[in-house]
Amino acid sequence: MNTEDLIALLATDTRPGRAVVPDVLFAALGPILVSGSVLLMVLGIRPDLMSAVLSPIAVWKWLLPGLLAAAGIALALALSRPEGRLRRAWLVILTATVLGAGLFTIRAVILPPADWIAAIRGQTLLVCLASISTIGLTGLVGGLAILRRGATTRPGLSGLALGLGSGGAAALLYALHCNEDDPMFFVTWYGSAILAVGLIGAISGRRLLKM
Amino acid sequence: MTETGDDWAQLLRAANRGDNAAYAALLAALAPVLRGIVRARAGGIDAALREDIVQEVLLTVHLKRHTWAEDRPVRPWVYAIARYKIVDALRRNGRDITLPVEDFADIIPAEAEPDPFAARDTDRMLDQLDDRSRSILRAVAYEGTKLADLGPRFGLSEGAARVALHRAIRKLSALRRGGQ
C-alpha cells in the first residue's frame, strides 16, 4: 500500500478516539476508594483520628502520601500525551522523598540507636505492606487500562507515575486506620509499599503502554 | 515553517469536527515532512523501510489524534510521535540512537521516492488480517470506496461499517507493532 492510499484510508475512518482525561481518574481512584473503604470497614478507623491529624508528626502520614498521589497522577496524565512533560510533578515527588528521609533522620537522631530496630519494625508491618500495596494495585490496574488509550512516549515512566500515585492514594486511606505514628515506621513501610506499586507500574507500563 | 504549524492546528481542529477533507489535507501535508525527518534521522536504512516508518507514524497520528489538545500546537505533538517511532524502528533494526526533538525544526520536507517496493510492511500485515478486515481496508484504500458505500457492500449498517473500518485499522496498526 502506498502512502497516498493509506492517507485516503485513514481519512475515511471518522470514528474518534476516546479521551484519557478524566476517565483515568475514575478508573484509578474509583477502585482505590472502594477497596480502601472495604479495608477500613474490616480494620476500623483509628479512634484518635482527630488528634493524629492535628499532631505535627503523624500528620505527615497524610501529607506525604497526598503529595505523591497528586503528583503521580498528574504526571501520568501529562505523560499520556506524546509531548507531555511535567517537571513540577517530579519536583513534588522529589520534595516528598526528601521530607520523608528528613523525618526519618530526625527521629533516628532523637532515638537511641538501640531502639532503632524496634521503631522501624513496629507492630503492624505486614498488614501495612499488604494493605497499601493491594489497594494501590487496584488503582494501578484500573488506571493502566485507560492509559492504554493514551499516546505516551515514556511507557515506563507513565506506569511508574501512575503506580506512585495509586500507592500514595492507598497509603492516604490506610493511614486512617494505622495508629503507628513513628516516622521510622511509616516512612520506611509506607514508602516501601508505595515504591513497590510504582515499580510494578513501571514494569507493566513498559509492556502495556507502548504505542 | 511556523505558519505551517498553525495550518496543521486548523486542519486538525476541523478534522475533529468531522471535516474529512481537512483531515486528508493534514495527513497529506504531514507525509513529506515526516519523510524528511525519517530520511534525516534514519538515512542509513533503505527507502522502503523509511516509508514504512512514515506510514507507521501516520497510523499512530490517526489512532491517537484524540491525545492532541486543541489549545496546544500540533508540531511538537507530531514530532514526539515521529521521534518515538523512529527510535523504535531503528532499535528493532539493531541500531540505538538518541534523537533530540528540537533538531526537527530545520528538516527539509521530502517527496516520496518512486520506489515500487515502498512500504512493504502494510501489505504484509494486510495479508495477516482476517478476511473481512482485509476486504474493507482494500476496498477503501485501493478502490476509494466511501463510508456510505461500504455498508451496503459488506451487508452492514453505516454505523456498523464505520466501526468495522475503525477496528480494521486498529488491527492493522497492532499487527505492525507486534509483528516486527
Side-chain angles (χ1 to χ4, degrees):
Chain A
M1 187 183 298
N2 69 36
T3 303
E4 265 172 55
D5 290 339
L6 180 73
I7 289 174
L9 171 65
L10 298 182
T12 308
D13 173 24
T14 51
R15 208 176 143 84
R18 284 185 297 169
V20 178
V21 193
D23 291 10
V24 70
L25 291 176
F26 299 118
L29 296 179
I32 291 174
L33 272 177
V34 172
S35 59
S37 305
V38 170
L39 191 93
L40 286 174
M41 273 190 280
V42 174
L43 297 178
I45 290 177
R46 63 187 289 176
D48 57 344
L49 181 62
M50 279 321 288
S51 58
V53 173
L54 297 173
S55 140
I57 300 295
V59 72
W60 292 100
K61 288 166 71 180
W62 291 280
L63 292 182
L64 294 179
L67 286 174
L68 289 177
I73 287 170
L75 183 59
L77 286 177
L79 289 175
S80 74
R81 291 179 290 107
E83 84 286 21
R85 303 288 179 263
L86 197 60
R87 192 166 295 180
R88 264 173 303 171
W90 286 115
L91 280 178
V92 172
I93 291 170
L94 184 71
T95 307
T97 310
V98 170
L99 283 171
L103 275 175
F104 184 99
T105 310
I106 292 170
R107 179 66 177 148
V109 168
I110 296 171
L111 212 61
D115 296 338
W116 285 357
I117 298 290
I120 291 174
R121 192 184 290 142
Q123 310 293 323
T124 56
L125 140 65
L126 285 179
V127 180
C128 164
L129 283 177
S131 304
I132 296 178
S133 53
T134 307
I135 299 170
L137 282 176
T138 65
L140 178 66
V141 170
L144 280 174
I146 302 297
L147 271 192
R148 279 169 63 83
R149 287 186 208 159
T152 183
T153 47
R154 307 280 180 92
L157 281 187
S158 293
L160 175 70
L162 181 67
L164 291 178
S166 299
L172 195 67
L173 289 181
Y174 178 74
L176 295 172
H177 157 74
C178 166
N179 59 3
E180 302 222 38
D181 293 341
D182 192 314
M184 290 182 90
F185 177 86
F186 69 76
V187 169
T188 307
W189 303 117
Y190 283 34
S192 302
I194 294 170
L195 190 63
V197 182
L199 291 178
I200 294 170
I203 294 164
S204 17
R206 278 181 75 99
R207 296 192 66 85
L208 300 174
L209 301 180
K210 271 196 72 169
M211 275 202 294
Chain B
M1 292 293 267
T2 36
E3 287 101 30
T4 317
D6 290 343
D7 288 353
W8 291 359
Q10 267 177 23
L11 289 173
L12 192 45
R13 224 173 276 127
N16 284 344
R17 313 236 179 317
D19 183 343
N20 284 13
Y23 189 44
L26 171 73
L27 295 175
L30 286 180
V33 176
L34 294 174
R35 252 176 228 127
I37 292 173
V38 174
R39 181 190 287 170
R41 295 299 147 186
I45 60 181
D46 73 282
L49 185 53
R50 293 209 304 267
E51 197 64 15
D52 280 336
I53 302 176
V54 170
Q55 291 200 1
E56 189 159 355
V57 176
L58 288 172
L59 261 170
T60 309
V61 161
H62 175 69
L63 290 174
K64 300 296 186 182
R65 64 196 190 280
H66 58 276
T67 64
W68 173 63
E70 296 207 340
D71 57 341
R72 292 172 194 269
V74 179
R75 193 170 282 272
W77 177 78
V78 171
Y79 285 177
I81 294 175
R83 177 189 185 281
Y84 180 85
K85 286 296 177 186
I86 294 170
V87 171
D88 203 41
L90 291 177
R91 196 172 286 149
R92 278 195 307 251
N93 281 279
R95 292 188 8 185
D96 214 346
I97 54 156
T98 50
L99 208 59
V101 82
E102 316 82 64
D103 288 4
F104 291 169
D106 36 56
I107 295 294
I108 303 140
E111 287 311 315
E113 284 161 56
D115 183 343
F117 300 108
R120 298 164 296 201
D121 270 1
T122 310
D123 291 308
R124 212 173 62 221
M125 299 306 156
L126 265 178
D127 291 339
Q128 294 178 30
L129 279 177
D130 58 285
D131 289 343
R132 196 179 73 163
S133 297
R134 181 171 54 238
S135 311
I136 289 175
L137 293 182
R138 285 200 171 135
V140 176
Y142 295 146
E143 297 159 36
T145 307
K146 297 275 170 277
L147 196 58
D149 305 323
L150 204 58
R153 187 164 159 184
F154 288 90
L156 299 166
S157 70
E158 190 174 334
R162 178 179 294 137
V163 172
L165 172 63
H166 183 71
R167 292 225 174 109
I169 290 175
R170 280 180 53 173
K171 280 184 198 163
L172 182 70
S173 167
L175 274 177
R176 295 199 55 134
R177 281 177 292 134
Q180 298 183 43

